[in-house]
């Protein structure tokens, strides 16, 4: 009976393990080659899973890419929610959020690659899960909205700042710099990824955002 139970428990765990292997391999594949260049054969080989299992769980490459994108957005929002910004002053909270966004992009370049690929295909892979994404980003905007409200009440921030526009600006400051690091290196004759350059950029991002909101 014990042997039978162990075998059955193992069977129950297998689908979860298989899906995790597929996700991990697909995340790597799509971030390296984009949606168009990604290959199911390589995903199966990297994840060490049978190709039929990919189609069994996800149906096709488009659905798999969509699932990977949703997972990527979930990760950044989950990490953001763990910052405990409510326990900080409005200024400290906003600065920490700007730092977090910058650091997340630096530590997770795959995220930027996936977003670039999604935009290249006009976001069609997100449409099937648009409600889930809207909920995720509503939570993100509400975090910024609450920081702004607290800052307004404390007299640190000016009134009537659009939280959605501020969210876009925080993301854009880091996103543009990192996605254009190769062309920027030539155009501005500087190494965008040099440690000193990254430190200067981090401080500049915070300076810009804080000046945008100050009372």
């Amino acid at each position: 009976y014990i042997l039978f139970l162990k075998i059955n428990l193992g069977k129950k765990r297998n689908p979860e393990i298989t899906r995790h292997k597929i996700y991990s391999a697909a995340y790597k594949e799509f971030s390296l080659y984009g949606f168009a260049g990604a290959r199911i054969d390589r995903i199966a080989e990297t994840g060490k899973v049978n190709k039929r299992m990919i189609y069994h769980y996800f149906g096709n490459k488009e659905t798999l890419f969509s699932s990977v994108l949703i997972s990527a957005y979930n990760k950044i929002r989950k990490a953001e929610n763990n910052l405990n910004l409510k326990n900080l002053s409005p200024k400290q909270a906003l600065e920490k959020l700007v730092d977090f966004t910058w650091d997340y992009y630096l530590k997770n370049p795959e995220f930027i690659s996936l977003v670039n690929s999604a935009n290249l295909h006009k976001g069609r892979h997100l449409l099937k899960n648009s409600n889930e994404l809207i909920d995720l980003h509503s939570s993100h905007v509400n975090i910024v909205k609450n920081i702004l409200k607290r800052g307004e009440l404390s007299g640190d921030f000016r009134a009537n700042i659009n939280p959605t526009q501020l969210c876009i600006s925080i993301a854009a400051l880091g996103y543009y710099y990192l996605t254009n690091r190769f062309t920027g290196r030539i155009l501005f004759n500087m190494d965008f990824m040099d440690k000193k350059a990254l430190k200067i950029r981090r401080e500049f991002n915070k300076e810009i955002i804080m000046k945008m909101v100050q009372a």
Side-chain angles (χ1 to χ4, degrees), residues 3-203:
L3 179 61
F4 175 80
L5 183 61
K6 285 182 178 179
I7 291 172
N8 278 275
L9 285 173
K11 287 182 178 179
K12 289 182 179 180
R13 286 196 298 266
N14 283 338
E16 184 179 343
I17 294 172
T18 302
R19 287 176 69 92
H20 177 72
K21 287 181 178 179
I22 295 171
Y23 262 120
S24 297
Y27 189 87
K28 180 179 179 180
E29 178 75 8
F30 286 125
S31 65
L32 284 174
Y33 302 103
F35 171 74
R39 297 291 179 265
I40 294 295
D41 285 336
R42 278 199 300 258
I43 294 174
E45 183 180 354
T46 302
K48 296 181 180 179
V49 297
N50 191 304
K51 187 167 69 171
R52 288 178 297 178
M53 297 308 295
I54 297 176
Y55 291 114
H56 171 72
Y57 286 118
F58 297 97
N60 54 49
K61 190 171 82 167
E62 292 216 358
T63 302
L64 178 57
F65 183 53
S66 177
S67 297
V68 168
L69 283 171
I70 297 299
S71 177
Y73 278 109
N74 266 302
K75 285 179 181 178
I76 188 172
R77 296 285 83 92
K78 183 178 179 180
E80 184 180 83
N81 287 330
N82 290 332
L83 293 175
N84 295 317
L85 300 177
K86 291 181 179 179
N87 297 326
L88 302 174
S89 70
K91 283 185 175 181
Q92 290 174 326
L94 188 55
E95 285 188 343
K96 187 170 183 177
L97 181 61
V98 174
D99 273 339
F100 162 79
T101 304
W102 174 250
D103 288 337
Y104 194 90
Y105 290 169
L106 278 176
K107 295 175 182 177
N108 300 274
E110 302 87 358
F111 175 75
I112 290 180
S113 297
L114 289 170
V115 173
N116 284 342
S117 185
N119 277 292
L120 185 63
H121 294 275
K122 300 182 180 180
R124 76 170 191 265
H125 300 100
L126 298 177
L127 293 176
K128 292 180 180 180
N129 301 282
S130 59
N131 289 334
E132 183 177 353
L133 278 174
I134 289 171
D135 288 341
L136 279 174
H137 272 65
S138 293
S139 174
H140 172 55
V141 173
N142 282 334
I143 287 174
V144 174
K145 185 177 181 180
N146 290 334
I147 293 173
L148 291 174
K149 187 64 178 178
R150 291 198 292 122
E152 182 182 339
L153 292 173
S154 68
D156 292 315
F157 301 158
R158 60 185 175 85
N160 301 318
I161 299 171
N162 187 315
T164 298
Q165 292 300 324
L166 188 60
C167 287
I168 295 171
S169 294
I170 292 171
L173 285 171
Y175 186 85
Y176 177 88
Y177 183 95
L178 295 173
T179 54
N180 291 275
R181 63 191 182 277
F182 301 112
T183 54
R185 180 171 189 163
I186 298 170
L187 297 174
F188 294 98
N189 192 29
M190 60 174 278
D191 184 356
F192 272 41
M193 302 307 289
D194 176 75
K195 287 184 178 180
K196 185 177 179 180
L198 291 174
K199 183 178 180 180
I200 291 172
R201 185 65 201 186
R202 170 199 287 272
E203 295 307 315

